[in-house]
Amino acid sequence: MIGNNYKAMLGQLIMPRLDMDAYLMDEHYAETITQLVQNRMAGGFCVFGGNPVSVAHVVVELQGIASKLWDTPLLFSCDCEFGLPMRLTEGGTEFPDAMAIAKTGEPELAYKTGQAIAREMRALGLSWNFAPVADVNSNPNNPIINTRSFGENPNTVAEFSSAFMLGLQSEGVAASAKHFPGHGDTSVDSHKELPIIERDWESFYGLELSPFQALIKQGVWSVMTGHLAAPKLAAHFGARD
């Protein structure tokens, strides 16, 4: 039991990257991951690489180690916006991008896609999907969101991202609304540099935030913040440099 063990309580807040291929081929790397469970009491891992068989095998192995130490299981996450192939090296079903699903005009298809992805994730022991993308694709020059968004209309994004989220969570996989407060109006890749969005509060509220509001009202289990700067929005809430 975690109880009053503050080391364990802090460890539960940490979710390191887990490279499945490295874990299976590099003994030193595998030992490092094992030590994160045994000595650092990591709360779980974010999965990259591998195939369905290897991922399931490693998840079971690490859960077995954790179960000998405390009653709280490890939490395994993965970026599976369009299914397991987004992060696994091979295997799993690849679904259409969010924008393609929205173009059908059928939110039920977003719900069923979320359900199907969740079932494949649960089969491997993965319980947290860093999806759906709730960003409004408001900048046509956006190099990182584009077709990952359900579209340029905030009402469409709200409707389809909510349906996708409900599909995921109906199968017991936690969804994550991302990238708060809105990553659609950027023209740089946030994996390489920091985007700066110059929208003020009224602009954010009128466009970027409505999908997040909808997801929260529908009961999304988590929200992911974006790697971006919004100085005017921050100033509205009294943030200081």
Side-chain angles (χ1 to χ4, degrees), residues 79 81 99 132-152 154 157 176-199 203-205 207-212 215 223-230 233:
D79 275 290
E81 294 170 17
M99 190 173 289
V133 170
D135 303 314
V136 179
N137 194 44
S138 56
N139 187 335
N141 295 318
N142 196 317
I144 193 63
I145 301 300
N146 47 68
T147 60
R148 296 167 62 196
S149 166
F150 285 102
E152 65 279 358
V157 175
S176 184
K178 68 183 188 185
H179 308 81
F180 184 84
H183 206 313
D185 189 19
T186 61
S187 58
V188 298
D189 185 345
S190 54
H191 297 106
K192 299 176 181 178
E193 54 186 304
L194 181 68
I196 299 176
I197 300 178
E198 294 293 351
R199 291 185 182 275
S203 181
F204 260 107
Y205 188 80
L207 181 65
E208 307 285 359
L209 294 179
S210 59
F212 293 97
L215 284 157
V223 176
M224 180 191 291
T225 56
H227 178 238
L228 51 86
L233 181 63

Side-chain angles (χ1 to χ4, degrees), residues 43-169:
F45 295 92
C46 186
V47 171
F48 289 80
N51 59 55
V53 174
S54 64
V55 170
H57 170 78
V58 173
V59 167
V60 169
E61 184 174 293
L62 293 175
Q63 290 286 22
I65 295 171
S67 68
K68 296 176 182 177
L69 302 173
W70 57 80
D71 294 336
T72 304
L74 297 170
L75 178 60
F76 288 88
S77 65
C78 193
D79 275 290
C80 296
E81 294 170 17
F82 56 80
L84 295 174
M86 183 171 179
R87 283 293 177 261
L88 269 61
T89 306
E90 59 181 349
T93 305
E94 182 172 348
F95 293 86
D97 283 346
M99 190 173 289
I101 295 174
K103 289 299 182 182
T104 68
E106 298 289 341
E108 180 67 15
L109 292 179
Y111 182 90
K112 291 181 177 179
T113 300
Q115 274 190 319
I117 291 173
R119 289 168 183 165
E120 291 195 358
M121 292 182 69
R122 284 291 300 274
L124 308 187
L126 307 176
S127 301
W128 191 4
N129 189 357
F130 294 134
V133 170
D135 303 314
V136 179
N137 194 44
S138 56
N139 187 335
N141 295 318
N142 196 317
I144 193 63
I145 301 300
N146 47 68
T147 60
R148 296 167 62 196
S149 166
F150 285 102
E152 65 279 358
N153 185 299
N155 294 326
T156 299
V157 175
E159 183 177 23
F160 277 82
S161 61
S162 293
F164 184 94
M165 174 274 291
L166 291 170
L168 278 175
Q169 295 186 176

Side-chain angles (χ1 to χ4, degrees), residues 1-14 39-43 70:
M1 295 292 291
I2 293 177
N4 292 320
N5 187 329
Y6 292 108
K7 178 181 177 181
M9 293 173 70
L10 289 171
Q12 291 293 295
L13 301 175
I14 307 301
N39 298 332
R40 302 299 180 183
M41 302 180 183
W70 57 80

